[in-house]
């Protein structure tokens, strides 16, 4: 086997570990916690289906690959819950180290390409990154809504922090932010999100 193919296969097997990284969000219908690979697959499909709601014209293929690779670093860094203040303090350093180790398994050209896509997502400045972030925010909100806010209740989520995360959705999609805002208000009214 040539060296390039060997590296690609090593990376492919390494990212299988993403299936073992469990998130705080539960599957719909009060199922088990979802894993990172399920989350990535779900938001990539969502991006394709909801692309018409992007604020700007986007390259949907680039958005989908962003969605699929954005959490690979959690193989090493672990999942940091969106409202974990202490975990957020070290998240970037943990993810940067993971980014270097995991993507370095690939041939140099693919390492650079995927690291650039990962960095683009993290910076959140391009239309594609903004829309990918909107999907990354919307998906757990939809799952949590399907579970009557149980994850928000369990973690005693506060409205200010929920909005701080979800306000960024409007940068990728004003239409989907309007949906997000309505759902958050509904859960505040129910008491699932504290004020």
């Amino acid at each position: 086997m040539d060296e390039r193919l060997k590296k690609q296969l090593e990376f492919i097997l390494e990212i299988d570990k993403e299936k073992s990284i469990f998130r705080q969000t539960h599957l719909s219908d009060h199922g088990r916690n979802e894993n990172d690979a399920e989350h990535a697959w779900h938001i990539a499909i969502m991006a394709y289906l909801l692309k018409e709601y992007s604020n700007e014209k986007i390259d949907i293929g680039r958005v989908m690959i962003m969605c699929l690779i954005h959490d690979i670093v959690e193989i090493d860094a672990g999942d940091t819950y969106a409202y974990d203040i202490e975990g957020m303090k070290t998240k970037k350093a943990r993810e940067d180290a993971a980014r270097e180790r995991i993507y370095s398994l690939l041939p140099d050209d693919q390492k650079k390409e995927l690291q650039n896509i990962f960095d683009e997502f993290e910076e959140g400045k391009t239309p594609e990154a903004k829309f990918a972030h909107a999907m990354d925010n919307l998906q757990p909100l939809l799952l949590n809504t399907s579970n009557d806010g149980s994850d928000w209740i369990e973690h005693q989520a506060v409205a200010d922090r929920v909005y701080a995360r979800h306000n960024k959705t409007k940068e990728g999609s004003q239409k989907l932010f309007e949906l997000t805002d309505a759902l958050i208000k509904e859960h505040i009214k129910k008491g699932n999100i504290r004020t």
Side-chain angles (χ1 to χ4, degrees), residues 22-164:
F22 287 89
R23 298 166 46 83
Q24 295 298 314
T25 308
H26 288 79
L27 301 177
S28 59
D29 296 326
H30 300 280
R32 63 164 169 77
N33 292 71
E34 75 171 340
N35 67 48
D36 271 356
E38 292 165 332
H39 168 70
W41 162 82
H42 208 181
I43 67 172
I45 295 290
M46 285 174 55
Y48 182 79
L49 294 174
L50 302 175
K51 64 187 177 215
E52 66 195 82
Y53 303 112
S54 175
N55 290 341
E56 302 174 74
K57 184 176 178 179
I58 52 172
D59 174 345
I60 193 59
R62 191 165 184 86
V63 173
M64 291 175 76
I65 195 68
M66 245 178 237
C67 291
L68 290 169
I69 70 162
H70 79 290
D71 278 343
I72 287 174
V73 294
E74 293 184 2
I75 291 168
D76 289 357
D79 176 56
T80 305
Y81 185 54
Y83 308 113
D84 177 358
I85 295 170
E86 288 304 309
M88 287 295 180
K89 291 176 183 176
T90 62
K91 180 182 177 190
K92 181 167 176 18
R94 288 182 285 119
E95 290 189 352
D96 285 349
R99 171 192 175 275
E100 183 58 29
R101 185 196 73 79
I102 296 168
Y103 290 119
S104 290
L105 297 172
L106 285 165
D108 287 342
D109 62 314
Q110 289 184 320
K111 170 190 174 181
K112 183 177 179 184
E113 178 185 3
L114 290 187
Q115 283 184 333
N116 286 342
I117 293 169
F118 175 83
D119 292 345
E120 181 182 342
F121 175 82
E122 288 297 305
E123 290 166 7
K125 294 179 181 173
T126 65
E128 288 78 13
K130 290 174 185 177
F131 193 67
H133 273 284
M135 297 301 98
D136 194 34
N137 289 344
L138 180 61
Q139 187 260 2
L141 181 134
L142 292 175
L143 290 180
N144 207 0
T145 296
S146 80
N147 291 319
D148 201 31
S150 61
D151 293 326
W152 285 315
I153 295 166
E154 178 184 340
H155 294 285
Q156 301 178 1
V158 179
D160 294 1
R161 291 181 57 212
V162 174
Y163 271 114

